[in-house]
C-alpha cells in the first residue's frame, strides 16, 4: 500500500470585507496575491465576513499584511487582519530609555526613528500609561523586528542597545467567536443558539452592526470589549496558561538534566567487565608435563 505523504504546514491570513453591503471578488483576490504581492495561495476559504487566505509559505504572511497589500485589497473591498501571533512577532518593547525621550509625543518618536534609522520602519509607537522609560514599537514586518532585536536603534542622539529590546510575547488561548467563551471550545463546536455581540454583549446583533457606545464584556461584565487585551478575566486565563507552560518547561528541563547527570556518571564510572575462567579456559593454562 502507498503511504500518505506528511502534511505540509499551512498559514492563513483573514481578509475581512470592508463593506458587507458590497460584493467581493474571489478571482480578483487570487490575481492580486499572485501577480501584485508575489504570495501565491493554496486556497481562499469563504467566511461570513470575507476570506481566509491560505498559503504554505510563512514569508507570504508578511506580504499579505503589508502596506502594499492593504492598498491593493482595499480596491476590492477587503482588508487584511494581522493575526495576533504575527503582530507580537512584529512588536518590540524598548526598556530603560531616557525619561526625556519617553515624555515626547508618540508621533514625534516615530518620525525620529524613521529619520535616524533608514531600514527600521515603525508603523506605530505605543506609550505604556505613565511609564516614561518604556515604549512599544510595532514594525512593518518580522524581518525588521528581528533586525531591531539584533542591532538596536538610534533616536534623539541616543543609542538603544539590543539588550534594551525585547519581543512581545504572545500566548494563544482558545476563543469561540460565537458565544465568546474562553478556553472552553472552538467556534465550530459552539452549541449556543444565538450569535453574541463582542462589543456590548447584546444577543440582538453582532459586532459588525453594533452602534452602542457603552461596551460590556461577555465574560467579566466589565466596561470594555469582550476581546479587549486589558480584560481581567482574559488576563487570568493567559496567566494560568503561562504558569502551566513554565511549570512543564521546568519539569522537562529537570528531567533532561537528570538524564545528562546519569549519563555522565556512567561515562565516568563504566561498568567493570570480569572474565570468569572455566575449565575450558584454564586447561590451556596448565603447565606442560
Amino acid at each position: 500500500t502507498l503511504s500518505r505523504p506528511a502534511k505540509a504546514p499551512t498559514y492563513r491570513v483573514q481578509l475581512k470585507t470592508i463593506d458587507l453591503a458590497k460584493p467581493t471578488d474571489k478571482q480578483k483576490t487570487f490575481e492580486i496575491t499572485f501577480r501584485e504581492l508575489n504570495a501565491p495561495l493554496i486556497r481562499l476559504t469563504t467566511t461570513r465576513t470575507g476570506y481566509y487566505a491560505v498559503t504554505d509559505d510563512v514569508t507570504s504572511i508578511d506580504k499579505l499584511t503589508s502596506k502594499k497589500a492593504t492598498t491593493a485589497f482595499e480596491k476590492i473591498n477587503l482588508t487584511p487582519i494581522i493575526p495576533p501571533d504575527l503582530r507580537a512577532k512584529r512588536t518590540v518593547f524598548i526598556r530603560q530609555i531616557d525619561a526625556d525621550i519617553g515624555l515626547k509625543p508618540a508621533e514625534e518618536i516615530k518620525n525620529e526613528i524613521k529619520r535616524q534609522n533608514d531600514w527600521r520602519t515603525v508603523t506605530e509607537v505605543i506609550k505604556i500609561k505613565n511609564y516614561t522609560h518604556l515604549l512599544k514599537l510595532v514594525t512593518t514586518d518580522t524581518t525588521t523586528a528581528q533586525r531591531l532585536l539584533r542591532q538596536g536603534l538610534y533616536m534623539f542622539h541616543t543609542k538603544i542597545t539590543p539588550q534594551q529590546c525585547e519581543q512581545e510575547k504572545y500566548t494563544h488561548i482558545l476563543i469561540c467567536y460565537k458565544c465568546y467563551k474562553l478556553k472552553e471550545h472552538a467556534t465550530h463546536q459552539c452549541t449556543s443558539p444565538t450569535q453574541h455581540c463582542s462589543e456590548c454583549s447584546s444577543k440582538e446583533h453582532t459586532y459588525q452592526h453594533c452602534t452602542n457606545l457603552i461596551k460590556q464584556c461577555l465574560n467579566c461584565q466589565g466596561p470594555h470589549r469582550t476581546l479587549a487585551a486589558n480584560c481581567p478575566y482574559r488576563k487570568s486565563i493567559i496567566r494560568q496558561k503561562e504558569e502551566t507552560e513554565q511549570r512543564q518547561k521546568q519539569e522537562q528541563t529537570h528531567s533532561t538534566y537528570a538524564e545528562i547527570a546519569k549519563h555522565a556518571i556512567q561515562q565516568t564510572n563504566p561498568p567493570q567487565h570480569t572474565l570468569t575462567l572455566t575449565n575450558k579456559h584454564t586447561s590451556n593454562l596448565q603447565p606442560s608435563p
Side-chain angles (χ1 to χ4, degrees), residues 97-121:
I97 63 172
D98 188 274
D100 288 342
I101 295 176
L103 289 171
K104 296 180 183 295
E107 191 65 22
E108 183 179 349
I109 297 173
K110 175 183 171 182
N111 292 335
E112 172 68 7
I113 292 174
K114 182 178 180 181
R115 186 177 68 85
Q116 292 279 359
N117 312 269
D118 55 356
W119 58 267
R120 297 168 180 83
T121 307

Side-chain angles (χ1 to χ4, degrees), residues 159-265:
K159 181 179 181 180
I160 304 298
T161 67
Q163 289 72 28
Q164 293 174 254
C165 304
E166 180 182 342
Q167 190 172 58
E168 183 176 50
K169 183 179 180 181
Y170 171 74
T171 301
H172 174 74
I173 55 175
L174 186 64
I175 303 174
C176 173
Y177 289 97
K178 186 176 181 183
C179 70
Y180 291 94
K181 291 185 182 298
L182 306 181
K183 207 182 70 170
E184 292 193 12
H185 57 265
T187 306
H188 69 277
Q189 298 171 323
C190 186
T191 57
S192 174
T194 57
Q195 174 87 29
H196 295 70
C197 175
S198 60
E199 297 290 320
C200 69
S201 298
S202 173
K203 296 181 180 180
E204 304 300 322
H205 59 262
T206 62
Y207 73 92
Q208 294 104 322
H209 304 99
C210 184
T211 58
N212 290 337
L213 297 178
I214 300 176
K215 308 299 180 182
Q216 184 178 24
C217 176
L218 283 158
N219 292 311
C220 73
Q221 286 70 54
H224 55 260
R225 298 171 54 252
T226 300
L227 298 180
N230 63 346
C231 171
Y233 179 72
R234 180 188 177 97
K235 284 183 176 181
S236 69
I237 295 294
I238 292 175
R239 184 168 57 252
Q240 290 172 15
K241 183 172 183 180
E242 289 178 346
E243 289 173 352
T244 300
E245 290 177 348
Q246 182 65 22
R247 185 167 57 252
Q248 291 173 344
K249 185 177 180 180
Q250 289 175 345
E251 291 172 353
Q252 184 179 8
T253 302
H254 178 74
S255 175
T256 303
Y257 284 159
E259 290 296 323
I260 292 173
K262 181 180 178 181
H263 180 70
I265 292 172

Side-chain angles (χ1 to χ4, degrees), residues 6-28:
K7 188 176 180 180
T10 57
Y11 313 90
R12 68 180 190 176
V13 171
Q14 182 184 3
L15 302 179
K16 186 177 178 181
T17 303
I18 297 173
D19 186 347
L20 292 174
K22 297 180 181 179
T24 58
D25 191 325
K26 193 172 186 179
Q27 187 56 43
K28 188 63 177 177

Side-chain angles (χ1 to χ4, degrees), residues 59-99:
T59 61
S60 292
I61 302 298
D62 275 336
K63 296 176 183 177
L64 293 168
T65 54
S66 65
K67 185 176 181 180
K68 180 180 179 180
T70 300
T71 302
F73 287 134
E74 281 179 352
K75 297 176 182 177
I76 55 171
N77 195 30
L78 293 171
T79 185
I81 304 299
I82 301 177
D85 58 330
L86 177 61
R87 184 177 176 85
K89 291 177 181 178
R90 293 180 176 184
T91 303
V92 177
F93 285 99
I94 309 295
R95 303 182 184 277
Q96 300 175 344
I97 63 172
D98 188 274

